[in-house]
């Protein structure tokens, strides 16, 4: 098996669609064989405030949180920016 490459996921938003995307990230490596060598890492989630971001990170399994999209896109650990806001 090839070495799995970690991909840092940064997600803005955390509601219904955020939960759906997190589920997809957590299951993609066994649902789709052609991308099984990539391992999504739930790196950062952004909320409206620091408090809501922290709650979302804890609930969804992200390593850390923030309160703005700019913090996500400027982070060198983020490979994929996922905007799940309306």
């Amino acid at each position: 098996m090839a070495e799995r490459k970690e991909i840092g996921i940064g997600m803005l938003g955390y509601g219904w669609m955020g939960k759906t995307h997190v589920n997809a990230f957590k299951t993609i490596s066994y649902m789709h064989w052609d991308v099984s060598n990539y391992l999504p890492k739930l790196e950062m989630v952004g909320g409206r405030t620091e408090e809501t971001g922290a709650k979302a990170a804890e609930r969804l399994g992200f390593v850390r949180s923030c309160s703005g999209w700019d913090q996500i896109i400027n982070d060198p650990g983020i490979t994929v920016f996922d905007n799940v806001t309306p």
Side-chain angles (χ1 to χ4, degrees), residues 43-86:
E43 191 65 45
M44 184 185 293
V45 63
R48 289 185 181 142
T49 66
E50 290 290 336
E51 183 181 352
T52 59
K55 287 180 182 178
E58 183 178 342
R59 187 174 64 247
L60 298 173
F62 281 84
V63 174
R64 54 206 165 98
S65 64
C66 66
S67 62
W69 63 270
D70 55 330
Q71 293 169 295
I72 298 171
I73 65 168
N74 290 316
D75 190 289
I78 304 299
T79 309
V80 173
F81 175 73
D82 188 11
N83 184 356
V84 297
T85 60

Side-chain angles (χ1 to χ4, degrees), residues 19-71:
K19 293 179 221 173
T20 304
H21 283 217
V22 165
N23 183 61
F25 288 129
K26 288 182 176 182
T27 61
I28 195 168
S29 65
Y30 71 85
M31 293 296 287
H32 299 283
W33 301 109
D34 57 333
V35 295
S36 61
N37 58 329
Y38 294 101
L39 180 63
K41 180 180 180 191
L42 302 177
E43 191 65 45
M44 184 185 293
V45 63
R48 289 185 181 142
T49 66
E50 290 290 336
E51 183 181 352
T52 59
K55 287 180 182 178
E58 183 178 342
R59 187 174 64 247
L60 298 173
F62 281 84
V63 174
R64 54 206 165 98
S65 64
C66 66
S67 62
W69 63 270
D70 55 330
Q71 293 169 295

